[in-house]
Amino acid sequence: MKIARFDGGRIGIVTEAGITDVTDLAGVESGEWPPVGPLRMIAEFDRLRGPLEEAVASRPAKSLDEVRLETPVPWPNKLIAYPVNYHDHAREMTSTGLANIQGFFLKANSSIIGPADAIETPNIDGREFHHECEIGLVIGKECRGIPVEEAMDHVFGFACLMDITVRGKEERVMRKSYDTFTPIGPWIVTRDEIADPSDIEMRLWVNDELRQHANSRDLIVDMPNMVAIAASAMTLYPGDIIATGTPAGVGPINPGDTVTIDVAGVGRMSLPVIAGRYGANVVFDKPYEFKRGA
C-alpha cells in the first residue's frame, strides 16, 4: 500500500487509478497542529488496514495531477541518520568514520519537506551544498532493545529521502539541519510491498546528469542493524524516520537545478533548487574546499 499526505494534511492511498481520500478513516484531522495524525495512523495501521483497503475499492480516485503531495510524516518524534554507510562514499570522502564505528546522528525534524516543495540553499558564501541520495525507513511499532533478527518487524515502510548538506568540517547536525534539507516522499510504501529490503536500487540525477546509483546490498550497516542500533540507545516510536546513508557521487546543487531521486519499488520525486534568504552565521565564515578522495 502507498500512503500519501496531500492538500493540507489529508491522507490518501495511491494506486494506478490515482489517489483515494481516506482522511476520515485514518483518524487524521486536516490542518491539525501539530500534525501528529500520521503518527497515530501508523501506530494503529493493523486495525485500519482493512477499512482502508475497502475504501480504495469503493471510493473514487483523483488523478495525482489534481492534488499537491506533501511529506507523509511531517512531525516524527525523531529523524535519525547514519553517516558514511557505503564503502564507495567513504573512499570519495576519505573518511574512516564509518557508520559501524560512529553510529547514528540526529537531524532537525524542521528540515523535512515534501515532493512538491523546493530545496533552499542557505545564503552562505564560499560553501558548496551537496545532495545525498538515501532510502528512508519509517518505524511502525514502538521498540527498545530489540534483536537484529526482529528489527524489520518494527518497520512500517519506505520512502525516498534526500539528505542535503553544507559541505564542511563543522558539526554534522548543524550542516544538515537547515530548513528544506530533508525532502521525504512522495509517499510511504508499506513494508510488505518490498520483497527484499537488502536489494533496492536507487538513483539520483541533478538536471539530466546521473550523479548517484547504488543498491542497498552495498550498505556497511544494513537496515536491520540500523534499526537495532538505534533501538539499543533510545525508544523508537511509530513514525520515526531513519535515513540509511548515501553512496558515492555526492556533489553540488545550485539554484536553478532540479534534483530527482528514484528508489525502485518505492517512488520518484523531483524538487527544484532555489536560493534561500537565511543561513549566514559566524560558524560558516571560514572557507572550506571539498576534495574527493582517490
Side-chain angles (χ1 to χ4, degrees):
M1 187 178 291
K2 295 182 175 67
I3 302 171
R5 188 168 163 271
F6 69 102
D7 289 355
R10 305 194 69 80
I11 301 297
I13 306 299
V14 178
T15 65
E16 291 183 359
I19 185 167
T20 301
D21 193 329
V22 294
T23 308
D24 57 327
L25 298 175
V28 175
E29 182 179 345
S30 178
E32 68 179 351
W33 184 260
V36 295
L39 306 182
R40 294 193 302 270
M41 178 195 64
I42 291 170
E44 298 173 6
F45 187 73
D46 288 346
R47 175 182 64 82
L48 294 172
R49 182 160 197 156
L52 294 177
E53 290 174 339
E54 292 174 7
V56 171
S58 61
R59 295 182 180 184
K62 282 185 176 182
S63 168
L64 286 172
D65 294 335
E66 299 179 59
V67 304
R68 185 182 191 276
L69 291 176
E70 299 161 349
T71 194
V73 184
W75 198 264
N77 180 265
K78 289 179 286 296
L79 175 54
I80 303 158
Y82 280 84
V84 197
N85 204 16
Y86 287 82
H87 288 291
D88 58 359
H89 181 50
R91 288 191 293 271
E92 81 173 342
M93 301 300 291
T94 62
S95 175
T96 57
L98 308 184
N100 61 344
I101 297 171
Q102 288 197 323
F104 60 84
F105 62 97
L106 299 177
K107 293 187 67 171
N109 293 348
S110 52
S111 68
I112 296 174
I113 57 172
D117 295 317
I119 299 166
E120 297 185 11
T121 57
N123 63 342
I124 303 172
D125 293 332
R127 292 298 181 104
E128 291 186 5
F129 313 111
H130 282 201
H131 59 78
E132 297 188 1
C133 175
E134 309 202 13
I135 300 169
L137 299 184
V138 182
I139 298 299
K141 297 178 181 178
E142 181 177 331
C143 57
R144 175 76 200 279
I146 55 173
V148 172
E149 56 270 21
E150 296 178 10
M152 294 305 288
D153 294 338
H154 295 82
V155 171
F156 177 70
F158 305 85
C160 301
L161 186 150
M162 298 183 203
D163 180 15
I164 310 300
T165 187
V166 179
R167 194 56 68 195
K169 293 294 187 181
E170 296 82 8
E171 287 288 349
R172 180 182 273 113
V173 173
M174 182 176 181
R175 292 187 289 108
K176 291 175 173 284
S177 285
Y178 274 89
D179 284 4
T180 78
F181 269 26
T182 316
I184 300 175
W187 40 66
I188 300 170
V189 173
T190 53
R191 188 183 71 243
D192 58 299
E193 296 281 334
I194 302 298
D196 184 1
S198 67
D199 185 19
I200 302 176
E201 292 280 326
M202 60 179 185
R203 295 174 172 83
L204 183 143
W205 296 260
V206 176
N207 304 320
D208 295 324
E209 178 190 359
L210 179 63
R211 293 271 187 91
Q212 295 183 276
H213 180 197
N215 189 290
S216 60
R217 65 172 169 262
D218 299 321
L219 285 163
I220 295 171
V221 177
D222 64 14
M223 293 182 190
N225 271 287
M226 276 187 263
V227 175
I229 290 169
S232 74
M234 56 195 178
T235 301
L236 301 184
Y237 295 106
D240 281 356
I241 297 170
I242 297 177
T244 56
T246 192
V250 301
I253 55 175
N254 297 289
D257 288 338
T258 298
V259 187
T260 300
I261 183 174
D262 185 286
V263 179
V266 177
R268 181 185 182 100
M269 59 183 186
S270 296
L271 285 81
V273 182
I274 64 174
R277 296 170 54 196
Y278 307 107
N281 60 70
V282 66
V283 175
F284 294 121
D285 282 349
K286 301 177 296 297
Y288 175 82
E289 182 181 357
F290 172 66
K291 294 180 179 180
R292 293 186 184 274

